[in-house]
Amino acid sequence: MATPSCVMNPLTTVRIPRLLTRPGDLMVRAGESVEPSQIVAQSFEPADFRIVDVARELEVPVKNANALLKVQRGQAIAEGDILAARGGLSRRVCRAPISGTVVGVGRGRLLLEGDPEVVRLAALVPGYVVEARGDEGVVIETIGGLIEALWGNGKEAYGVLRMVVRDAQHPIRVTHINASSQGTILVGGATVDEESIAQAASVQVRGMIIGSLPASLILRAQEAPFPIVATEGIGTTPMTQTAFALLRSLDGRDAAVSGDIGARWREKRPYIVVPMPTQAGRSIDASGRPAVGDRVRVLRGDHRGQSGTIAHLLEGLVHLETGARMPGAAVTLAEGVTIQVPYANLERLL
Amino acid sequence: MTEVPSIESVLVADCGTVSTKLMLIERVADSYRFVAQTETRTTGGAPWNDLSVGVAQAAQELEGITGRQLYASGRIITPRQDMDGVDAFVITLNAVSPLRVVLAGLVEEMSLESARRAVAGTYATIEAALSRHGALRSPQETWARTIRDSAPDVVLLVGGVDGGARRPVIELAEAIALAASMLEKDHRPSVVYAGNAALRSQIAKLLGDITRVVIVDNVHPGAETEHLGPAQSALEQVYVENRLRVAPGVEALSAWSRLPFVPVANAFSRVVDFLWHREGNMDRGVLGVDVGAATTTMAAAFGGRSYINVYNHGTASGLVDWVQAHSLDDLLRWIPEPLDADSLLAMLHNTELLPSTVPQSPLEVSVALAVVREMLRSALDIARPSWDITGANFAPFGSREVMPRLDPIVISGGGIVHTPRPGQALLAVLDGVQPVGISTLLLDVNRAAPAIGAVAGIRPLIAASALEAGALVSLGTVISLVGQTKPGETALRLRIRYDGGRPLDVEAHYGELEIWPLPVGQRATLEIRPHRHFDIGMGPGQGGKVEVLGGLVGLIVDARGRPLALPRKADQGWMRALKRWTLDVGG
């Protein structure tokens, strides 16, 4: 059975794809070292364009319009430039509505294309470019801690981790956020409230890592100017102990946070990467099957969000309260209790 | 169709959005039967990014069950070598994102409406619909910008009856040409032209140098006629080429099977067609509902014509989008206990984030079944207008508000087949589909229907044999009454004559679900006498004698009336009724 997994590892080799949303140019080469703010690729957002109906604006027949043009295909124009003009008693002019280039002429009309907007993609993490993917982007490798989360607001940043709560049960409160929070990535245990998100925005925090985001705050979180990442998803479930302990051990270190969950059908996992000044990290094999001793997280039910280890793989089926019977494992939770969980509701922690 | 000689065994891989199933069909004596099945997680996404990994894992698990080697040297063994491998390996697939389509047409209520129905026949989402909306001048700039910015896979251009409007269609084509020319060559959308036949050569000339153009019959050739088949086939072909053939790992799968990939919806539809031809009833249709993680498919057959509608929302994907377009109250009304909106929304979000997890509490099951009900209702809202039920006596109840007669109804898909108790699946379908008259509900308990449909593409007899051998298990026969009276009043009297038993006289009361035992495989003869306010398809108050089949739930009379009176918001009385109905069906 191919079992889902989630990386929560203090020292591993992390490969981060940094890909453009449309074809563009690479600014770095394979093998080059990069810094978080360094631009690794750029693309041009499609320019604005306009169809200018010269014949109609000059009130002349279509067949006469070409003779009145003051510009030609390929010519650069500025907003307000005269594109065509009619002399005589009823003089009229047709001006460019945007700056750009004349890219098409025909049937009494001009097609103008504006100047494209450049979109620049930063490395986000320090490391080495290990793969250059043509016009798509690059893959950057770094060594350090990696924590995969479940939900994110689509934004990303690099900053200093600052743990602001004492245990995983505690939410981030407005009292945790002050002027010294500026530029930091706040780490809480449970949830967050609207007031705290607003306060974090006002003091310009770099990011926020929490256990779960209440459903009522999703829109507010999406509007926040910094990344918000929830390790357990939506709701009120506190952060899994494994993630909380790892983040606490990394308090004060620089970290990259990505809240990108992709669009529907292109699911991605939000992540936190904490680069370490070392040469080697443990490689992770996500393709294995569950085995006794594996660290796991419970994904549903009363124990949702709790981590533990597989005590044994059940030969029979797990009987759920719903009446369903499914294959599963006995899991000993951090608090010492052993429960039976269907494999479908378990995730291996790597 | 590819002919394969002397087939004794077929292996079918069904790669769904969440799970990959592998089923082995073998000849046993004179018939073909499902011998074994395994299921694993679909491996199209990270960290595997290769669909063939899941298929290989499932094959190895199947080897453990059957003791027969199916996979060696990195591939499925086919053709069979002595006792190892299989004669044919068939793949059905929908574990890919849908086609992104922009519609361009003239009149919203005519050609564009037909275009929407054509798109609903395959795995596709409509990104935008372009038309004049009554404006005097064509907003070509806006059209071109919309196409360029949404960068769809396909633009479906329709409009003008054959020999009708020309200029507005050409203006749309010009805008498409402009937009396509502004996109990189390998990102330009294909254009399927299904409009005024008189413009075909002009359209080909205008767009042919810029992008790929497929010209098919007009979806709306006359003011009163609709012809969706060719446009649907063209879109399906683009889906196969642009999506299925480029899915991660498909290259490996293609090397293992010489047979063409079949989209799951098309494979499922073949089973529904087969059942319609087997039943041969011109006065009723056959419906198949496949409630999957990412899509809800309605496959129907009426009068020998088949209809496929794919609704791009399922039980684990597209839920939040669905809520934004509808309302949380629509889901909350199906949950028989108080639940606040935030908790429900959190559950829906987390189901999307973790689509392969299963409900672990009765409340979570209630939420999952609420989703099933509303996906069925929404999918039917789109599917029903495309069904041509005017030519025969499908709808004897004289109202478009109630469903046409459907018998049987096939229930498939991981979103519903995995419900812990069969009665829960039955009740969800009664609430979501609201059948009328007498219907047999068949549960595709092993989710084998798409596999059978795929096999029908190479050997129809094998598929028919596997179906007859019990691939579909009856949930029971349901008598659904159309009409209303006061709650608790007698709606129907019934005399049940079990095979070899004494008759049993019973009553069903308005507002209730009544269940009587009739196990799988057992038959009974019913003498049905509805109250004069109720109709079971024989006319108000008219009954008769019918023979029915049993099932996992039994013989069911749904005396809650049609259409079912649904509250906008659940109150205490409605919740009590929901609980009662759930208990009645053993849920």
Side-chain angles (χ1 to χ4, degrees):
Chain A
M1 177 87 180
T3 313
S5 56
C6 176
V7 182
M8 291 186 182
N9 196 294
L11 193 63
T12 182
T13 304
V14 187
R15 287 192 163 204
I16 304 288
R18 300 295 290 162
L19 304 178
L20 296 161
T21 53
R22 59 181 69 241
D25 305 316
L26 303 190
M27 312 304 284
V28 290
R29 292 180 191 165
E32 211 172 305
S33 72
V34 290
E35 291 303 316
S37 59
Q38 186 176 344
I39 303 302
V40 293
Q42 66 178 29
S43 61
F44 295 95
E45 277 298 304
D48 191 11
F49 71 93
R50 298 292 166 85
I51 299 170
V52 181
D53 196 333
V54 174
R56 185 152 44 86
E57 289 201 23
L58 298 186
E59 295 178 350
V60 298
V62 169
K63 61 181 182 189
N64 298 345
N66 269 13
L68 304 175
L69 292 177
K70 305 291 181 198
V71 292
Q72 54 190 351
R73 186 194 293 263
Q75 184 176 331
I77 42 126
E79 186 179 343
D81 280 358
I82 293 176
L83 300 173
R86 189 179 82 176
L89 285 176
S90 52
R91 178 179 159 75
R92 298 183 78 93
V93 294
C94 171
R95 292 182 185 276
I98 55 171
S99 297
T101 311
V102 179
V103 294
V105 181
R107 289 189 35 221
R109 299 189 294 182
L110 292 175
L111 174 62
L112 311 182
E113 195 169 82
D115 298 322
E117 189 184 328
V118 183
V119 176
R120 295 184 175 87
L121 185 66
L124 187 63
V125 291
Y128 289 89
V129 177
V130 289
E131 192 181 334
R133 292 192 185 168
D135 57 4
E136 293 177 29
V138 296
V139 178
I140 297 168
E141 184 176 290
T142 193
I143 310 286
L146 172 63
I147 296 155
E148 290 183 327
L150 274 180
W151 187 87
N153 67 350
K155 300 186 170 74
E156 57 187 29
Y158 191 80
V160 180
L161 288 178
R162 178 176 289 178
M163 178 67 76
V164 295
V165 296
R166 259 185 274 167
D167 66 54
Q169 307 296 320
H170 282 105
I172 292 181
R173 296 280 185 228
V174 73
T175 50
H176 295 132
I177 307 165
N178 51 39
S180 70
S181 308
Q182 186 180 22
T184 65
I185 296 168
L186 305 178
V187 184
T191 61
V192 68
D193 55 29
E194 189 167 8
E195 197 184 356
S196 301
I197 294 175
Q199 174 74 353
S202 72
V203 302
Q204 297 177 2
V205 304
R206 285 277 170 84
M208 191 177 274
I209 303 167
I210 51 177
S212 301
L213 181 78
S216 58
L217 294 184
I218 291 173
L219 286 178
R220 183 68 191 85
Q222 283 167 337
E223 290 164 359
F226 52 84
I228 299 179
V229 160
T231 59
E232 313 306 312
I234 303 300
T236 54
T237 304
M239 189 180 291
T240 190
Q241 269 301 335
T242 307
F244 187 80
L246 181 51
L247 284 165
R248 187 163 52 189
S249 73
L250 299 168
D251 190 18
R253 289 191 174 275
D254 286 347
V257 177
S258 168
D260 187 3
I261 52 174
R264 191 184 169 201
W265 308 102
R266 285 180 285 125
E267 285 75 13
K268 295 177 183 173
R269 274 205 140 166
Y271 59 83
I272 301 126
V273 173
V274 185
M276 294 288 184
T278 177
Q279 295 300 310
R282 191 170 75 92
S283 64
I284 287 172
D285 177 15
S287 62
R289 297 169 185 225
V292 172
D294 279 355
R295 293 187 311 154
V296 290
R297 170 165 63 171
V298 181
L299 299 173
R300 276 181 98 148
D302 294 342
H303 298 281
R304 176 179 151 76
Q306 293 189 33
S307 50
T309 54
I310 293 184
H312 58 271
L313 307 176
L314 297 170
E315 290 194 357
L317 300 172
V318 180
H319 293 230
L320 301 182
E321 192 190 349
T322 62
R325 297 170 180 201
M326 314 190 76
V331 175
T332 304
L333 301 174
E335 64 202 42
V337 180
T338 299
I339 59 167
Q340 296 190 346
V341 188
Y343 290 126
N345 291 349
L346 277 182
E347 189 171 57
R348 291 189 305 141
L349 299 178
L350 304 174
Chain B
M1 188 190 304
T2 308
E3 278 298 322
V4 181
S6 177
I7 292 182
E8 297 287 322
S9 55
V10 184
L11 190 64
V12 187
D14 179 358
C15 303
T17 319
V18 169
S19 61
T20 292
K21 295 169 286 296
L22 206 60
M23 285 160 271
L24 180 63
I25 302 172
E26 276 198 298
R27 185 202 285 268
V28 179
D30 290 334
S31 67
Y32 289 85
R33 290 171 188 273
F34 276 94
V35 175
Q37 170 178 329
T38 53
E39 183 169 336
T40 188
R41 191 180 157 91
T42 291
T43 52
W48 307 281
N49 296 314
D50 185 345
L51 289 167
S52 70
V53 171
V55 175
Q57 284 184 357
Q60 285 156 350
E61 285 179 22
L62 208 53
E63 287 175 350
I65 296 169
T66 60
R68 167 181 183 170
Q69 193 171 9
L70 298 166
Y71 183 82
S73 307
R75 58 177 297 135
I76 297 290
I77 305 168
T78 181
R80 186 163 39 94
Q81 296 160 7
D82 297 325
M83 290 304 292
D84 293 335
V86 287
D87 293 316
F89 177 47
V90 183
I91 303 159
T92 65
L93 184 59
N94 72 342
V96 294
S97 58
L99 276 185
R100 300 172 67 251
V101 182
V102 165
L103 305 182
L106 301 189
V107 184
E108 181 63 44
E109 297 79 15
M110 293 177 71
S111 56
L112 274 173
E113 200 53 50
S114 298
R116 285 180 201 281
R117 284 197 276 273
V119 172
T122 194
Y123 296 90
T125 56
I126 297 172
E127 302 297 311
L130 314 177
S131 74
R132 271 192 180 185
H133 283 303
L136 286 177
R137 285 210 312 274
S138 295
Q140 282 182 307
E141 194 176 282
T142 309
W143 291 340
R145 185 171 287 114
T146 304
I147 295 169
R148 187 198 63 169
D149 292 349
S150 54
D153 300 294
V154 183
V155 178
L156 175 58
L157 174 58
V158 296
V161 296
D162 283 348
R166 301 173 76 96
R167 186 67 220 150
V169 182
I170 294 295
E171 285 171 354
L172 280 164
E174 285 173 348
I176 296 167
L178 174 61
S181 64
M182 285 189 282
L183 290 164
E184 298 285 333
K185 269 195 172 162
D186 50 357
H187 286 81
R188 290 177 185 173
S190 299
V191 176
V192 174
Y193 177 64
N196 183 354
L199 295 174
R200 285 176 183 173
S201 58
Q202 257 180 286
I203 297 290
K205 195 174 166 190
L206 185 60
L207 289 160
D209 290 340
I210 299 167
T211 190
R212 178 187 171 213
V213 183
V214 181
I215 291 181
V216 295
D217 291 353
N218 194 342
V219 290
H220 213 90
E224 298 296 327
T225 49
E226 187 175 74
H227 185 41
L228 301 180
Q232 284 182 328
S233 299
L235 291 169
E236 184 191 318
Q237 191 57 33
V238 180
Y239 174 71
V240 171
E241 288 169 14
N242 286 25
R243 287 287 187 273
L244 298 193
R245 288 198 188 143
V246 298
V250 154
E251 211 171 309
L253 291 175
S254 304
W256 302 351
S257 172
R258 289 169 298 158
L259 303 167
F261 292 114
V262 187
V264 172
N266 299 68
F268 183 54
S269 175
R270 287 179 190 162
V271 171
V272 171
D273 284 352
F274 169 81
L275 291 174
W276 188 88
H277 282 100
R278 188 185 73 176
E279 301 296 318
N281 289 318
M282 289 302 290
D283 65 345
R284 69 198 72 167
V286 174
L287 178 67
V289 299
D290 182 346
V291 189
T295 55
T296 303
T297 301
M298 292 282 158
F302 292 95
R305 280 188 65 185
S306 58
Y307 304 86
I308 305 175
N309 282 273
V310 181
Y311 184 59
N312 275 296
H313 300 271
T315 54
S317 178
L319 295 177
V320 176
D321 289 349
W322 184 91
V323 167
Q324 280 168 2
H326 295 78
S327 150
L328 272 178
D329 285 338
D330 289 353
L331 290 172
L332 283 167
R333 66 185 170 187
W334 295 113
I335 297 166
E337 57 189 285
L339 179 66
D340 64 272
D342 275 0
S343 299
L344 175 60
L345 194 55
M347 289 165 92
L348 300 179
H349 270 280
N350 290 329
T351 301
E352 285 206 350
L353 294 170
L354 298 163
S356 59
T357 57
V358 296
Q360 209 161 313
S361 69
L363 175 63
E364 288 180 340
V365 170
S366 295
V367 170
L369 290 170
V371 169
V372 168
R373 287 169 166 105
E374 286 300 321
M375 292 306 121
L376 288 171
R377 285 165 55 79
S378 294
L380 275 171
D381 282 348
I382 292 169
R384 279 187 63 185
S386 69
W387 299 346
D388 181 4
I389 52 172
T390 53
N393 188 27
F394 296 123
F397 304 97
S399 166
R400 293 289 295 185
E401 282 184 37
V402 299
M403 292 291 288
R405 282 199 296 203
L406 299 164
D407 187 27
I409 297 172
V410 181
I411 303 160
S412 186
I416 188 164
V417 169
H418 279 166
T419 50
R421 302 179 208 283
Q424 292 168 327
L426 177 129
L427 185 55
V429 171
L430 290 186
D431 292 341
V433 176
Q434 298 191 32
V436 295
I438 301 170
S439 310
T440 314
L441 268 57
L442 303 175
L443 188 67
D444 179 18
V445 67
N446 292 316
R447 288 192 288 154
I452 292 171
V455 172
I458 54 166
R459 283 293 165 95
L461 282 177
I462 298 179
S465 176
L467 264 183
E468 301 294 354
L472 303 176
V473 177
S474 172
L475 284 174
T477 299
V478 181
I479 304 169
S480 306
L481 306 175
V482 177
Q484 59 180 29
T485 186
K486 289 179 187 164
E489 286 202 353
T490 302
L492 174 136
R493 290 191 169 83
L494 201 61
R495 172 166 291 176
I496 308 170
R497 289 181 188 277
Y498 292 102
D499 276 354
R502 288 167 55 182
L504 176 68
D505 289 316
V506 293
E507 288 184 350
H509 302 99
Y510 182 64
E512 299 301 329
L513 275 174
E514 311 278 4
I515 317 285
W516 291 282
L518 189 59
V520 176
Q522 195 168 335
R523 289 176 184 275
T525 305
L526 308 181
E527 289 172 37
I528 310 170
R529 285 174 293 148
H531 184 271
R532 62 191 169 87
H533 290 145
F534 291 94
D535 191 347
I536 58 164
M538 298 173 177
Q542 298 298 306
K545 199 184 263 190
V546 292
E547 190 176 86
V548 296
L549 270 173
L552 295 171
V553 180
L555 170 65
I556 305 106
V557 173
D558 186 347
R560 298 177 298 168
R562 293 288 186 270
L564 200 56
L566 298 179
R568 293 186 70 82
K569 277 193 168 190
D571 57 17
Q572 288 296 326
W574 174 256
M575 284 192 200
R576 276 197 298 275
L578 273 180
K579 280 183 188 160
R580 200 169 60 243
W581 298 332
T582 306
L583 285 173
D584 287 342
V585 296

